[in-house]
């Protein structure tokens, strides 16, 4: 077994967090990941506190005694602080507050015994997270699915963040196999934060058509843009675009965002949020199978250790 800060802190068998993905990772997916030995996070954007409570209850019962968590979008919290009360009252162990000003909420969660994570896209973001006092920093590269920054790719960001902070760091963006998990563990990450690979899990609430499109997509079939949010009329902060499968609407309007804002055209087909790791996903599988595939990281790390010991042994 691989032991890291992440596995030791949350009692995991595999150093993997399934990313919070609003509309995709409800309690069923999060609970299934936790039951399989990872740490499953419920993703929640906007909605009634009762809905969040119900998802967390599903996660808790499905996780069968294992730790689970939840991720909220920080830019949507002002005016929706009741969601935080639900989180505080739950037994979710890890709380992710990402994308927006999360500092005002960290103390309340930590006082309730929760560990707090945030996703960073630059070294400046990471330094700010350290100053705010989060427990865990997720270095999220631009190849990741869904929203975030697109300034730096996962591997350079991870190296720089590991050198810049002294709290545990997870890597996110483009990790979809045991090889990828092995790579970031070898670099010094405490584990991986994986989204796209879990979008096609049987337990994910992704639409069937979107699951088919993600499994069919190749490594170069995604695009990073703000156009899809403008088209949906969702006011994400401008520094956070989103990565989704190529989309005719995005191709038409990318680079003409001001024009689109001034004279909006309805979007006729939904966005399918996914990162470059879509090219690594070839078939829908259970969350447990995806966790098992990621756990093969151990084989790759053992092979390196074996090669090194043979080298030193002559
Ligand atoms: C479909 C989808 C929805 C997402 N929704 C959220 C969300 O609600 N909150 C959040 O913090 N991150 C969200 N993310 C981003 C993930 O937390 C994570 O940064 C990303 O999936 C990591 O890269 P990967 O997709 O290559 O594994 C989402 C990602 C995807 C693919």
């Amino acid at each position: 077994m691989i032991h890291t800060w992440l596995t030791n802190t949350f009692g995991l068998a595999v150093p993997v967090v399934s990313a919070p993905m609003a509309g995709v990772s409800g309690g069923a997916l999060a609970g299934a990941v936790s039951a399989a030995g990872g740490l499953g996070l419920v993703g929640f954007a906007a909605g009634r506190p009762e809905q969040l409570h119900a998802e967390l209850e599903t996660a808790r019962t499905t996780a069968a005694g294992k730790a689970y968590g939840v991720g909220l979008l920080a830019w949507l919290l002002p005016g929706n602080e009741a969601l935080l009360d639900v989180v505080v009252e739950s037994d979710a162990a890890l709380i992710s507050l990402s994308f927006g000003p999360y500092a005002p909420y960290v103390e309340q969660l930590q006082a309730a015994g929760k560990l707090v994570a945030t996703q960073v896209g630059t070294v400046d973001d990471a330094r700010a997270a350290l100053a705010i006092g989060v427990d865990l920093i997720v270095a999220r590269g631009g190849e990741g699915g869904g929203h975030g920054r697109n300034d730096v790719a996962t591997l350079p960001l991870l190296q720089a963040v590991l050198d810049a902070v002294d709290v545990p760091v997870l890597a996110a963006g483009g990790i979809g196999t045991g090889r990828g998990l092995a790579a970031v563990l070898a670099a010094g990450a405490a584990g991986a934060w994986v989204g796209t690979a879990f979008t096609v899990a049987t337990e994910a609430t992704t639409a069937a058509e979107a699951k088919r499109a993600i499994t069919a997509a190749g490594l170069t079939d995604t695009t990073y843009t703000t156009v899809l949010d403008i088209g949906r009329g969702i006011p994400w902060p401008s520094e956070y675009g989103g990565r989704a499968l190529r989309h005719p609407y995005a191709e038409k309007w990318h680079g003409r965002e001001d024009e689109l804002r001034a004279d909006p055209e309805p979007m006729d087909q939904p966005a399918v949020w996914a990162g470059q790791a879509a090219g690594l996903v070839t078939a829908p599988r259970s969350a447990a199978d995806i966790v098992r595939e990621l756990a093969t990281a151990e084989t790759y790390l053992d092979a390196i250790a074996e090669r090194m010991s043979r080298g030193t042994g002559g």
Side-chain angles (χ1 to χ4, degrees):
M1 274 214 339
I2 300 166
H3 297 281
T4 70
W5 176 90
L6 184 73
T7 61
N8 294 338
T9 304
F10 298 104
L12 313 183
V14 188
V16 164
V17 173
S18 65
M21 296 184 281
V24 167
S25 65
L29 176 59
V33 168
S34 291
L39 181 67
L41 263 55
V42 169
F44 199 81
R48 287 181 296 111
E50 299 77 38
Q51 287 173 299
L52 176 58
H53 175 75
E55 294 299 341
L56 293 181
E57 272 303 288
T58 303
R60 186 180 65 79
T61 50
T62 313
K66 303 281 179 54
Y68 67 96
V70 55
L72 301 175
L73 294 172
W75 70 274
L76 286 173
L77 284 176
N80 290 306
E81 288 84 357
L83 296 178
L84 286 168
D85 299 334
V86 172
V87 169
V88 163
E89 280 154 28
S90 76
D91 59 4
L94 179 68
I95 317 303
S96 161
L97 300 178
S98 294
F99 313 135
Y102 56 92
Y105 314 112
V106 172
E107 216 176 282
Q108 177 194 357
L109 293 170
Q110 289 174 334
K114 313 295 188 193
L115 294 180
V116 178
T118 196
Q119 300 180 69
V120 305
T122 63
V123 175
D124 283 350
D125 281 354
R127 292 209 177 96
L130 193 65
I132 287 166
V134 304
D135 303 288
L136 172 64
I137 290 178
V138 182
R140 181 200 184 277
E143 57 268 62
H147 288 80
R149 293 190 196 272
N150 193 33
D151 302 62
V152 189
T154 302
L155 202 48
L157 181 67
L158 177 64
Q159 294 166 77
V161 170
L162 282 166
D163 280 344
V165 303
D166 56 5
V167 294
V169 174
L170 301 184
I175 300 160
T177 67
R179 289 182 192 278
L181 175 58
V184 298
L185 288 169
W193 175 281
V194 177
T196 296
F198 284 104
T199 58
V200 300
T202 333
E203 298 88 344
T205 52
T206 315
E209 185 51 41
K211 282 188 184 176
R212 272 194 290 278
I214 293 169
T215 50
L219 291 170
T220 58
D221 288 335
T222 67
T223 184
Y224 179 89
T225 185
T226 57
V227 161
L228 297 172
D229 289 318
I230 301 171
R232 298 187 302 162
I234 300 197
W236 266 86
S238 59
E239 64 269 38
Y240 303 117
R243 185 170 290 282
L245 297 188
R246 286 180 190 280
H247 191 293
Y249 187 91
E251 312 223 321
K252 177 170 177 193
W253 288 105
H254 194 72
R256 295 163 59 202
E257 290 77 3
D258 289 342
E259 215 182 306
L260 178 61
R261 261 188 221 98
D263 187 11
E265 180 191 66
M267 233 168 86
D268 54 3
Q269 106 196 29
V272 178
W273 304 105
Q276 292 176 357
L280 304 171
V281 174
T282 50
R285 286 178 299 165
S286 69
D289 279 349
I290 297 168
V291 172
R292 265 193 288 278
E293 152 62 28
L294 290 163
T296 62
E298 195 169 349
T299 317
Y300 299 107
L301 294 172
D302 282 347
I304 293 171
E306 164 73 12
R307 285 206 296 275
M308 288 179 67
S309 67
R310 265 194 274 139
T312 51

